[in-house]
Every structure is written in C-alpha cells, then in structure tokens.
Amino acid sequence: MKPLLGICDNTAYMAGMAKRQSDGRAPTQRQLRVGELIRRRLSELLQRGEIHDPDLSRMSITVGEVRCSPDLRVATAYVLPLGGDGKEDALALLRKNRHEIRREVSKALSIKFAPEVRFEIDDTFDRMDATRSLLDSDHVRQDLED
C-alpha cells in the first residue's frame, strides 16, 4: 500500500497532532486533571451566565480544552462560540472579563495559586474539516484503492 501523501509518516503527522508542551514533553497527570477541572468550571460559568457581563451572557461559548503550564500558574482555554460566528468578539469579551473568571474558577480549585486564565480560539474543528477534505480528495482516495 502506498503512503497517503505523507499522512502515514507517523513522526511528522503525530507530532502536529499530539498535545505536547512547548518543551516537547507530554503533560503530566496533574496538569491534565487541573485543566479538566478548570474546563468544567469555566463551562458552568459561561453556561449559567455567572459572569456579570450582559454581552458575554448572551453568547453560547464552548470550552473545548484547557491546557495548563507545568507549574500550573497559566491555563490556556481553547474556546469557540456556538456556530463559529463572532470568534473575535467572544475572545475580546472573555479577555475583558478574565479577572472575574479567574476569581470564580479559583473558588472551585484547591490548589495553592489561582492560575492566570488565557483564552485562544479552538481550531480543532477547522483541522478536522481540513483532514476530512484531504481524505476525500481524489488522489488520496486513489492511493487507498491501490
């Protein structure tokens, strides 16, 4: 079977897909656990409209993932508004209310320091669409049939 245009080159493909830290190491269990706790609490805050910003309360925002730094002082939340419209507006509102969000998230955690919460747009769905369209292309389909 022929390689799928470099897709089967596991080192390059998996390196791009793996959730690695900036220094190349995988996140620890503690980082993953704290990240998930922050994600859940952040989702609750946004779903229930507990942040005192009427513009933010009107938006439906999905929190896809939260990655924590090794020292747990910085948590990066990957968010996406429902439907994908108004990404920049949602990001601006979240960043504007980051201090209140940090305070509310820290109440739910039992760790020494409240992490600084940073927000980024979640591009997971865009990457999935790109991968799906690549796999649906004719020349890749031809490689699969050979």
Side-chain angles (χ1 to χ4, degrees):
M1 185 166 128
K2 295 179 189 175
L4 301 175
L5 300 174
I7 293 177
C8 288
D9 180 14
N10 285 339
T11 54
Y13 182 70
M14 295 307 287
M17 299 299 289
K19 298 176 184 175
R20 299 260 179 213
Q21 298 176 34
S22 59
D23 60 359
R25 295 180 302 157
T28 64
Q29 288 298 313
R30 183 169 170 83
Q31 285 174 273
L32 295 173
R33 188 175 66 245
V34 170
E36 181 60 19
L37 289 172
I38 293 171
R39 188 195 68 76
R40 286 182 188 170
R41 181 62 182 139
L42 193 53
S43 294
E44 288 173 4
L45 288 172
L46 295 172
Q47 181 182 16
R48 295 179 184 166
E50 294 180 26
I51 304 301
H52 298 92
D53 186 335
D55 295 328
L56 190 58
S57 296
R58 282 192 284 269
M59 298 185 94
S60 294
I61 299 175
T62 302
V63 182
E65 178 184 8
V66 175
R67 295 182 191 172
C68 292
S69 63
D71 62 359
L72 302 178
R73 294 203 184 225
V74 177
T76 304
Y78 293 90
V79 297
L80 189 67
L82 194 61
D85 297 330
K87 293 178 186 178
E88 295 305 320
D89 294 335
L91 203 57
L93 288 169
L94 288 166
R95 287 176 177 167
K96 182 178 112 180
N97 293 290
R98 70 183 182 278
H99 299 296
E100 183 180 356
I101 292 170
R102 180 181 185 178
R103 184 175 57 250
E104 292 298 323
V105 166
S106 68
K107 289 179 185 176
L109 300 176
S110 57
I111 58 177
K112 192 171 187 177
F113 299 100
E116 174 190 345
V117 182
R118 297 178 183 169
F119 297 97
E120 297 294 332
I121 295 297
D122 188 0
D123 65 347
T124 303
F125 297 109
D126 295 335
R127 285 187 282 133
M128 285 185 345
D129 289 341
T131 302
R132 188 174 297 121
S133 66
L134 179 66
L135 292 174
D136 287 341
S137 66
D138 291 334
H139 54 279
V140 172
R141 196 172 295 132
Q142 179 184 2
D143 286 345
L144 288 173
E145 293 172 0
D146 288 344

